[in-house]
Amino acid sequence: MTQLSSALLTLGDAMFFKPTDEVICERVTAKEDLVGALDGKAEDSSLDVIHIVVGEKDFDRLYDEDSISAFQPLLKDGGELTVHLLCGDGRMAGEDSMNTIQASLVVGGLRFEQLAQGIEDGSYAFTARKGGGDESDDDDDE
């Protein structure tokens, strides 16, 4: 059996993805279940990328900021974790939600890299990376 290197976690009804043999896909419907969503599905240092997708309307009910620290060891050195905050339907992302996501990535042991905003629907993607790998934490001034 081939070790999968990507995981997609959808919180609530944010989106539906048909499970595939190439990506670990899990739907989480309770906040307390997020931290263990990848238990037994991925080993330490086995994932290149993890995506977490949550709708703004479900954010407070389903996003567990403490879960990021449980996902960090699953990433390979240089691996990427992106939290997608979906707005849509004329909703705007709340400043509290955005601050919580960014802080959870840093507190979870990742290096925050990018905040991208969707132009049409006001959604956001917060991307952070695990140290190591091809990316160097050293300054290039030497």
Side-chain angles (χ1 to χ4, degrees), residues 11-41:
L11 309 187
D13 297 321
M15 293 185 120
F16 174 76
F17 291 92
K18 183 178 177 183
T20 72
D21 293 334
E22 300 166 4
V23 177
I24 300 166
C25 294
E26 290 296 319
R27 182 168 173 245
V28 178
T29 57
K31 188 176 201 167
E32 60 273 9
D33 294 341
L34 181 57
V35 71
L38 295 176
D39 287 355
K41 297 170 182 73

Side-chain angles (χ1 to χ4, degrees), residues 84-128:
H84 302 268
L85 181 62
L86 306 181
C87 296
D89 297 331
R91 297 180 75 94
M92 298 292 293
E95 191 172 328
D96 287 346
S97 301
M98 294 176 64
N99 290 338
T100 297
I101 292 170
Q102 192 165 348
S104 70
L105 294 170
V106 173
V107 171
L110 302 171
R111 184 177 60 240
F112 184 76
E113 289 196 340
Q114 182 179 22
L115 171 61
Q117 181 178 10
I119 295 172
E120 293 182 22
D121 64 357
S123 296
Y124 290 87
F126 301 78
T127 302

Side-chain angles (χ1 to χ4, degrees), residues 4-6 8 24 38 52 54 56 67 74 83-84 88 92 101-103 107 114 118 133 140:
L4 301 178
S5 63
S6 299
L8 173 65
I24 300 166
L38 295 176
I52 300 172
V54 61
E56 171 64 32
S67 66
L74 302 176
V83 178
H84 302 268
M92 298 292 293
I101 292 170
Q102 192 165 348
V107 171
Q114 182 179 22
D140 293 329

